[in-house]
Structure formats: C-alpha cells, structure tokens
Amino acid sequence: WLGIPFSVMFAAALLGNSLLLATIHSERSLHQPMYVLLAMLAVTDMGLCTTIVPKMLGIFWFALGDIRFNACLTQMFFIHAFQATESGVLLAMAFDRFVAICKPLRHSAILSNQVLSVIGILLLLRPVLLIVPVIILIKRLRSYRSTVIAHSYCEHMAIVKLAAVDVRVNKAYGLFVAFVILGFDLLLITLSYLLIFRAVFRLPERAARLKAMNTCVPHLCVFLEFYVLGFFSFLAHRFGHGISHCVHILLSSFYLLVPPTLNPLVYGIGNAAIRHSVQKMM
C-alpha cells in the first residue's frame, strides 16, 4: 500500500514537470532568465524522482530489495548530485529575483545568455567535484557489519553506518559537503530575500509592493519545502536517535518526492504567465 502514494507522486511529478518544460519551450515569451532557470529546476526534479522511485516501487511491490554495491553507489551519486543541483538552481532563482526587483533596468544585462550558460555549467560541475570524493571514500572501506541498508534508497550516511571500520573521515567530509551546498546556498538565499524585502517595502506605491511580493511568494514556498525537509533528513541521520525508524524513512523519502511534485503546481498556479501559456497550449 505504501507504493500507491509514492507512485501517484512520481506520476504527478513527471507529468507536471514535463508540462512545465513543454510550455516554456513552446512559448517564446517565456524564453527569459526566470523561466530558463525554472526549466532547469524541472529537469532536475524529474531526474531526482526517477533516480529513487522505480527501485523503491520494486522493493514495495515485487520484493526486489537486492542491489549491487556499485549500482548502490551510482544511485547515491545521482541522488546527491540532483539534490546539490536543485539547491544551486534555487540559489540562482533567488539571485534572479534579487536582480529583477532591486536592479530592474540592468536585469537583461546582468543575466544574459552567456551568464545563464556559465550558471548551468557551474550547477553541473559543483556536484560532480564535491560528490565524487564521497564515492572514493566509501570505496576504500573494506569491511561491513551488515549489507542491509535500513532505507528505501542508497543514501550516504545509511551506507557509512554499516562499515565496521573507522568512518570519521567519511562523516566529516559528508558534513563538509552538506554545509558547502545546503548551508552556503541557504545563507545566500536568505541574504537575497532580505535585500529583496528591504527594496520592496521601500516602494512608494502599494500596488507595486503587492506585485513584487506576488512574484516572490512561489519562490519562497519552494525554498521552504526543500530546505526544511532537507535539513530534517540531514540532522535526523546524525542526531535523531529518538525518532522512529519508519518515520525517518518515510520523511526522508517524501523529502525527495514532495518538491518535484509540488514545484509545477506552485509555479503553474502562482505564475500568471505560465498559467496563461498552459491554457493557450491546451
């Protein structure tokens, strides 16, 4: 029965993000930095849920609980790479909103096609450079107390906890990567929105303030759902010894599935341009 809500969320995520991509691709008026970044987010969301759900449904429905060690590490790499990419896209979207509201006359010059291309390359390079050492550090572990991962997907700490040798280096590097990606991105996103809100509240007209706030609300909803669930999963692995194991597994799984499912709804409903383009395409 657990596979039913996960499969529904998976189907909704694929359908919603595919529709979002098709809308942005087909509507020339949406070929702007904000929507290009939104398309990057949709691709990342589809990759993230595709990495975990098929294997998860195989466990729930067909008792396919076995996975080869290298396949497990491959799944782990893509999960954390897509997580890091999504965090980077959210940071880029916050920067886009900052430029659009605080420096509107220079928006097209600052976020040109060349800058967007550089951002896209950095979003791909950062996860690879940071997560490949994680794989190398795990490969050097030679003995394990168990080969049973108490999780529905291969996650870094879930694998490291099985080792029968000293894993302090693995844990320390895992913390470093988490804070470099999630912590650094969250800090910059928070700073961007503090500057945005300061600029918004200085606008003389109430209608202009409301319009600026309406463009920020969908982004804030996406940031909160991603980072709140992300930090819960991260901290629960290390300090949540009193949390029920089933609760931890379910919430960690929802952490990877809720954002890809809700993001198309948040932006589709909250963004008038996308809403009108979808209606026109239909």
Side-chain angles (χ1 to χ4, degrees), residues 6 51 65 72 90 105 167 268:
F6 284 112
T51 302
C72 184
L90 294 178
L105 298 179
V167 292

Side-chain angles (χ1 to χ4, degrees), residues 82-151:
F82 281 125
Q83 284 177 300
T85 304
E86 177 144 356
S87 181
V89 173
L90 294 178
L91 173 59
M93 292 171 75
F95 178 67
D96 169 72
R97 290 301 84 204
F98 165 75
V99 175
I101 292 173
C102 299
K103 301 180 183 295
L105 298 179
R106 298 186 58 202
H107 184 264
S108 58
I110 294 174
L111 283 170
S112 61
N113 291 333
Q114 290 80 5
V115 172
L116 286 175
S117 300
V118 172
I119 289 174
I121 293 170
L122 291 176
L123 290 177
L124 293 176
L125 280 179
R126 185 178 70 161
V128 172
L129 294 177
L130 288 173
I131 296 170
V132 165
V134 173
I135 305 295
I136 296 172
L137 288 172
I138 290 178
K139 291 283 281 186
R140 60 180 274 275
L141 302 176
R142 295 300 177 190
S143 60
Y144 291 85
R145 291 190 298 270
S146 170
T147 57
V148 178
I149 297 177
H151 223 300

